[in-house]
Amino acid sequence: MSITSEFLRHPLLTGAIAPSSPWLAETMTAGLGLERAARVAELGPGTGVFTEAVLALLRPEARLTAVEINPRFAASLSERFPQVDVVTGSAEHLALDNVDVVVSGLPWTAMTAVRQQRILDAVTAALASNGRFTTFAYAHAAWTPPARRFAASLRSRFAVVERTPVVWGNLPPAFVYRAALPVTVGRTRRGQSAATSA
C-alpha cells in the first residue's frame, strides 16, 4: 500500500500524491516542545512519516493519539506503531482535552469551508491554553481561495502564527504553519466552568 495508490483510489480523502519527505517531517516537528509534551495528537497521519518523527522526539511516557480517516492507513499504522492510540475516523470528531501539541497532515485545500472550520474548532477545543499546532501547505497552492481561507481561519484562532520558508526537498514543495496559544472563537473552551463563561 502506498499513498499514491490511495490518492488514486480516494483523492479527496488522501489529498497527497506522494509521501511527505524527511525534510518536511523535520520542519513539521521542530520548535514545538515535543520533548516536553505529555499528550500529542496527530491528524491525518497517512503512512506515518510525521508519526515516526514525532515519536523520535517524545518521552517514553508521553501519549500520542493518531486520527486517520482511511481505514487502510489506520490498520497499517496500528501494526507499525503499537505504542500509538490509532483512531479511525474524521478529525472533526477529535475528542481530547489538554493536548500539548497537534500535528496535522490533513489536505486543507481539498476541504469545504465548513469542514475546515469544524476541524479547526476541534483542534482549538482540544489544545491546552499554551498548546501548539502545526500543519503544512503546498507552495504552489498558497494563493488559491481555499488556502487563503485556511490561513485566515488559522490566524483568527491562534494568538501566534508563523510560516516557515518553503521546504524544497518535498514533492510538491511545501511550507509549514506553526501556531500557538489558541484563542476562544465565540464559544467556551473545554475545561472552563459555566460560572467562568456566565
Side-chain angles (χ1 to χ4, degrees):
M1 178 180 56
S2 71
I3 201 162
T4 304
S5 63
E6 288 302 300
F7 174 80
L8 294 173
R9 285 163 53 92
H10 305 289
L12 293 181
L13 291 183
T14 305
I17 60 171
S20 298
S21 71
W23 297 279
L24 182 59
E26 182 179 354
T27 305
M28 279 282 289
T29 54
L32 299 175
L34 286 167
E35 302 86 348
R36 302 180 301 277
R39 195 167 197 184
V40 177
E42 183 181 4
L43 310 180
T47 59
V49 174
F50 297 156
T51 311
E52 188 171 14
V54 169
L55 288 172
L57 296 172
L58 288 181
R59 297 174 297 175
E61 66 270 22
R63 180 180 175 187
L64 174 58
T65 300
V67 183
E68 173 55 56
I69 199 169
N70 185 318
R72 289 163 61 89
F73 282 149
S76 177
L77 288 162
S78 294
E79 183 176 345
R80 184 177 170 197
F81 304 110
Q83 72 272 47
V84 176
D85 299 323
V86 179
V87 177
T88 305
S90 172
E92 295 175 58
H93 308 300
L94 179 65
L96 297 173
D97 287 304
N98 294 315
V99 175
D100 298 303
V101 179
V102 175
V103 177
S104 170
L106 295 174
W108 299 103
T109 57
M111 297 179 193
T112 64
V114 171
R115 189 150 184 257
Q116 276 188 4
Q117 305 305 319
R118 287 177 178 168
I119 294 175
L120 284 174
D121 284 346
V123 167
T124 54
L127 281 168
S129 59
N130 62 343
R132 295 174 179 267
F133 173 66
T134 185
T135 191
F136 74 94
Y138 293 125
H140 71 273
W143 300 108
T144 64
R148 295 174 68 181
R149 179 179 64 230
F150 172 75
S153 294
L154 199 59
R155 293 187 179 95
S156 74
R157 286 169 168 79
F158 289 89
V160 178
V161 178
E162 66 175 23
R163 176 177 151 173
T164 70
V166 173
V167 178
W168 295 104
N170 193 73
L171 181 65
F175 57 86
V176 170
Y177 284 114
R178 295 193 191 109
L181 306 177
V183 297
T184 302
V185 186
R187 55 176 170 47
T188 303
R189 286 182 52 79
R190 288 181 191 166
Q192 287 184 319
S193 66
T196 302
S197 58

